[in-house]
């Protein structure tokens, strides 16, 4: 880290630092784990390295398929240099299979295959508990322009198709995930934040048992045990899939 580097922001999972270049920030991934709007706190040993590596590989995979992301490179295994963006205060959730809050709020049974992917917008605001937004509320609060919402929806669906296909090669079912987008100095929308077992629901495709199949933060949320092993297994499968792609 350069001597001029300053802590810009500390979130639940990452610390952001400035660099010598105002267009570039450094994200340092932490081992801290939180759930239920930080009511449950803990640590997942080596999570910083695992999530940074998984996110970096997924961002690179998406970049190679035409999705613009904030990823630049990794100075160390748990650090990511990223393009500086203004993060839109939206959590964009894409769902392929019913789980989590969708089941709690609609009564849909866990594991129900959705006829088409569902894109949802939540207000990124911890004080309000990240509430689900309607499009009208989103516009009322001016959280993004209508054009930005259309672009993000389109990107989210594209990213879903790419990630679903990639995870399929890993023997992993992509149930749902959360994305964040930012706007750079040229007003371009970039995929930002992270894509990791903290922000995705990932099920081992070959495992039918509803507890054993879980390879993501639900292991921590629901005290299922073996959290670190699950994250490491996701990382190893991601690395193997990329190796296979490069070899072919
Ligand atoms: N998610 C996230 N951060 C949040 C809320 C949700 O990364 O603050 C992810 C979560 O890991 C899951 C997806 O978004 O992959 C959908 O989460 P859901 O709305 O079902 O909420 P939960 O059941 O986790 O409360």
């Amino acid at each position: 880290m350069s001597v001029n580097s300053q802590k810009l922001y500390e979130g639940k999972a990452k610390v952001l630092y400035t660099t010598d270049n105002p267009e570039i920030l450094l994200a340092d991934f932490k081992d801290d784990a939180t759930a239920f709007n930080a009511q449950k706190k803990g640590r997942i040993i080596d999570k910083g390295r695992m999530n940074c590596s998984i996110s970096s590989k997924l961002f690179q995979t998406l970049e190679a398929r035409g999705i613009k992301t904030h990823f630049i490179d990794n100075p160390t295994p748990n650090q990511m240099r990223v393009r500086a963006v203004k993060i839109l205060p939206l959590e964009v959730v894409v769902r392929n299979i019913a789980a989590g809050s969708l089941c709690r709020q609609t009564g849909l049974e866990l594991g129900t295959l959705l006829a088409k992917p569902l894109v949802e917008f939540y207000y990124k605001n911890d004080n309000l508990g990240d509430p689900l937004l309607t499009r009208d509320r989103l516009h009322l609060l001016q959280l993004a322009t209508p054009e930005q919402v259309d672009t993000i929806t389109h990107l989210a669906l594209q990213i879903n198709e790419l990630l679903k296909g990639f995870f399929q090669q890993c023997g992993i079912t992509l149930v749902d995930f959360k994305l964040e987008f930012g706007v750079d100095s040229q007003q371009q929308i970039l995929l930002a934040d992270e894509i990791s077992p903290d922000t995705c629901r990932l099920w081992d495709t070959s495992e039918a048992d509803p507890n054993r199949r879980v390879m993501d933060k639900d292991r921590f949320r629901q005290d299922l045990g073996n959290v670190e092993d699950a994250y490491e297994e996701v990382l190893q499968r991601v690395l193997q899939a990329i190796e296979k792609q490069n070899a072919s």
Side-chain angles (χ1 to χ4, degrees), residues 43-103:
R43 259 172 84 80
I44 299 172
I45 296 161
D46 226 11
K47 177 166 82 80
R49 174 190 60 84
M50 295 189 284
N51 277 1
C52 182
S53 306
I54 294 166
S55 275
S56 300
K57 294 297 175 196
L58 295 177
F59 281 144
Q60 284 171 288
T61 299
L62 291 171
E63 282 274 356
R65 286 156 182 77
I67 304 289
K68 291 193 168 69
T69 80
H70 71 160
F71 176 81
I72 300 175
D73 59 15
N74 301 110
T76 73
N78 69 326
Q79 290 181 326
M80 195 189 282
R81 287 198 318 140
V82 298
R83 277 171 247 286
V85 291
K86 194 168 179 297
I87 296 282
L88 295 167
L90 295 172
E91 301 207 333
V92 183
V93 169
V94 185
R95 302 178 188 271
N96 297 304
I97 294 175
S101 68
L102 181 64
C103 295

Side-chain angles (χ1 to χ4, degrees), residues 91 93 95 99-102 104 122 130 176-178 198-201 221:
E91 301 207 333
V93 169
R95 302 178 188 271
S101 68
L102 181 64
R104 291 196 299 275
Y122 292 80
D130 297 342
D176 60 28
F177 57 99
K178 183 263 301 180
D198 269 10
T199 63
C200 302
R201 282 198 171 90
R221 292 189 188 99

